[in-house]
Amino acid sequence: MNNGLWKRSSELDTGKQHRQIFKQIRKVGLVSLVLCGSIGGNPSQATPVSGDWKPVISGNWKVGDATEAGFDQAALDKLVMNIHNGQFANTHAVLIEHDGELVFERYFSGRDEEWGRPTGVRNFELYSLHDVRSISKSVTSLLLGIALTDDVKQAVSKPAVNFLPDMELETTARKITLHQLMTMTAGFQWNEMTTPYNSSNDEVRLYRQRNPAHYVMSRPLVSKPGSAWYYNGGTTQVLASMITELTGKRLDAYARDKLFEPLGVTEFEWHGPGRWTPDNPAAMSGLRLKARDLAKIGSVFLHDGKWGEHQIVPKEWVDISSVRHVKDVGDWSDNGVWGYGYQWWVGDLRSGERVIAGFGNGNQRLFVIPKKRLVITINAGDYNLFTGQSERILQTVLQALD
């Protein structure tokens, strides 16, 4: 417990050794030289120089050459300079994978928060943990896909209560399917899209409950299940309870064992209120990862659930999660660009590319573009501003590849 927040963190020797090297280099004033070289990060506060975004440290991820992948180096240099000069204000990190190789990695400085608590101005680098906010939902979806043992199509058509056998509910709620929870079409009365994250917001109210899954599943229905989409972080917490029921583990422990450790993720945090039953962190918003580790999750999605030769997430789950099950998400669709899959946003850009994305408050983004074999990862600190600048960075990257 930490200031009322529950969190889980783990760190292995390799991460500690690299962090110690970084601190020693900083002491002797060689940060700019090494950060543009062997450490693999970049001097967040330094004036950009051409190509200082080239990743060098590979770890368990192959580093590639952006120009050989077809990127215009001058365009990528300009992107870095524009972020540095404030055109994409308070962007903290941008990473690009092309077809299995990390080809771009650049860190910056800016104001930040840790799950709503201001932390001031930070200089971000390779080892910085960062809120991913609602991308936590997309990670939770992958974890459920790993945990399910049934045929996926059969499993998602079942009533959700089949995975929560001890829960007592009204007859109508007992008919809500797992598919409807995954797509946020369950029809519950829920106030999250039009109300700031304060005491009137239902996600905030959820933190005061003892049993979050029961609280969500007991909400009155305002539409027929499956007929309308409404953004509801509470349904993600129901999925977390299902994972615990299926595996006997807390969400963070299962994530560590089945997703993070296979990816070489050695450090993470997952915040929560610390009072829930089961004792899970906040599946909808509480995860903190290093930018490169978040990018690895996007890589798994790009490669049909595989990391290298290892199948981490069932391909069938990746496939069904990528479907635009909800064609239109109303005011959040950006004039028809975005729909919704299984806790992932599914979009069709005006330039013709299909994008599967994790979205997080503050302009956190994990863009997966199968046609281009790209994953673009963005961390930022524009919490509650909804400026859309990460989408503009996405377009800049795509134009640099044309």
Side-chain angles (χ1 to χ4, degrees):
M1 192 77 66
N2 182 7
N3 295 328
L5 298 178
W6 186 97
K7 65 181 178 181
R8 170 71 184 175
S9 179
S10 63
E11 185 173 286
L12 301 181
D13 290 342
T14 301
K16 290 181 179 178
Q17 290 168 359
H18 285 163
R19 194 185 300 277
Q20 289 167 357
I21 292 170
F22 180 81
K23 289 179 178 178
Q24 290 300 317
I25 291 166
R26 181 175 288 169
K27 287 179 182 178
V28 298
L30 298 177
V31 175
S32 293
L33 172 64
V34 178
L35 281 179
C36 293
S38 62
I39 287 299
N42 293 282
S44 56
Q45 70 277 23
T47 301
V49 296
S50 179
D52 70 357
W53 39 262
K54 296 178 181 180
V56 178
I57 274 188
S58 61
N60 62 343
W61 201 349
K62 186 178 180 181
V63 167
D65 187 296
T67 56
E68 290 182 4
F71 284 97
D72 181 341
Q73 177 165 331
L76 294 180
D77 286 342
K78 184 177 180 181
L79 170 64
V80 171
M81 183 61 75
N82 286 341
I83 294 173
H84 178 78
N85 290 337
Q87 183 171 326
F88 301 103
N90 210 20
T91 295
H92 299 158
V94 179
L95 287 77
I96 304 172
E97 174 199 332
H98 180 266
D99 204 17
E101 296 182 348
L102 187 65
V103 299
F104 181 102
E105 183 174 29
R106 188 50 156 93
Y107 298 91
F108 304 86
S109 60
R111 301 178 315 280
D112 198 30
E113 298 179 3
E114 181 173 347
W115 214 45
R117 178 178 62 84
T119 57
V121 174
R122 299 175 61 198
N123 292 325
F124 293 91
E125 41 91 5
L126 183 63
Y127 303 108
S128 300
L129 288 173
H130 199 289
D131 284 14
V132 304
R133 297 294 175 103
S134 285
I135 302 178
S136 305
K137 295 177 173 70
S138 304
V139 175
T140 299
S141 171
L142 294 182
L143 293 170
L144 182 59
I146 297 170
L148 288 170
T149 56
D150 291 343
D151 172 78
V152 167
K153 291 183 179 179
Q154 179 183 355
V156 298
S157 65
K158 291 180 179 179
V161 293
N162 284 24
F163 303 95
L164 299 166
D166 296 329
M167 186 174 291
E168 296 182 2
L169 294 170
E170 297 286 338
T171 302
T172 305
R174 295 187 67 83
K175 297 179 181 178
I176 293 170
T177 65
L178 177 55
H179 170 85
Q180 291 160 354
L181 288 182
M182 295 300 303
T183 56
M184 296 192 183
T185 59
F188 294 122
Q189 182 186 77
W190 195 259
N191 187 7
E192 188 172 350
M193 288 180 68
T194 58
T195 302
Y197 285 95
N198 56 32
S199 59
S200 298
N201 184 291
D202 275 316
E203 182 178 307
V204 176
R205 288 173 175 168
L206 186 65
Y207 297 130
R208 299 195 293 266
Q209 307 304 314
R210 181 63 65 183
N211 187 322
H214 187 268
Y215 175 78
V216 174
M217 294 293 291
S218 300
R219 300 289 291 170
L221 294 179
V222 295
S223 62
K224 180 181 177 182
S227 66
W229 182 87
Y230 190 91
Y231 193 72
N232 183 338
T235 59
T236 314
Q237 203 60 43
V238 178
L239 303 179
S241 293
M242 290 180 181
I243 291 168
T244 298
E245 184 69 35
L246 287 165
T247 68
K249 294 183 178 181
R250 291 193 307 256
L251 180 66
D252 73 303
Y254 191 70
R256 179 195 61 216
D257 294 346
K258 296 297 185 178
L259 182 60
F260 296 153
E261 285 188 354
L263 296 180
V265 175
T266 59
E267 187 178 5
F268 69 95
E269 296 173 351
W270 208 325
H271 288 291
R275 66 172 63 91
W276 281 338
T277 301
D279 185 22
N280 278 323
M284 73 290 283
S285 65
L287 182 60
R288 287 171 59 79
L289 290 168
K290 300 169 189 174
R292 188 181 281 204
D293 291 337
L294 177 59
K296 289 178 181 179
I297 291 172
S299 185
V300 168
F301 207 91
L302 176 67
H303 294 94
D304 298 324
K306 297 182 74 173
W307 177 250
E309 298 302 316
H310 302 285
Q311 192 75 43
I312 307 296
V313 182
K315 180 181 184 301
E316 190 177 7
W317 187 259
V318 174
D319 289 343
I320 199 169
S321 298
S322 306
V323 173
R324 189 166 174 164
H325 297 287
V326 179
K327 305 301 181 185
D328 185 273
V329 291
D331 292 342
W332 288 15
S333 69
D334 189 16
N335 294 316
V337 171
W338 294 104
Y340 206 68
Y342 275 11
Q343 306 283 298
W344 291 82
W345 298 83
V346 183
D348 294 287
L349 301 182
R350 295 178 182 91
S351 52
E353 290 85 2
R354 166 61 62 95
V355 182
I356 301 97
F359 281 17
N361 189 350
N363 272 314
Q364 323 313 320
R365 295 292 187 271
L366 185 59
F367 294 115
V368 180
I369 309 170
K371 183 179 178 180
K372 299 279 191 181
R373 306 304 296 162
L374 284 177
V375 176
I376 302 166
T377 304
I378 302 170
N379 283 150
D382 277 357
Y383 302 104
N384 300 316
L385 295 180
F386 310 105
T387 61
Q389 69 180 29
S390 288
E391 284 68 35
R392 293 194 293 275
I393 292 175
L394 167 65
Q395 291 297 338
T396 301
V397 171
L398 290 176
Q399 290 165 9
L401 187 58
D402 290 340

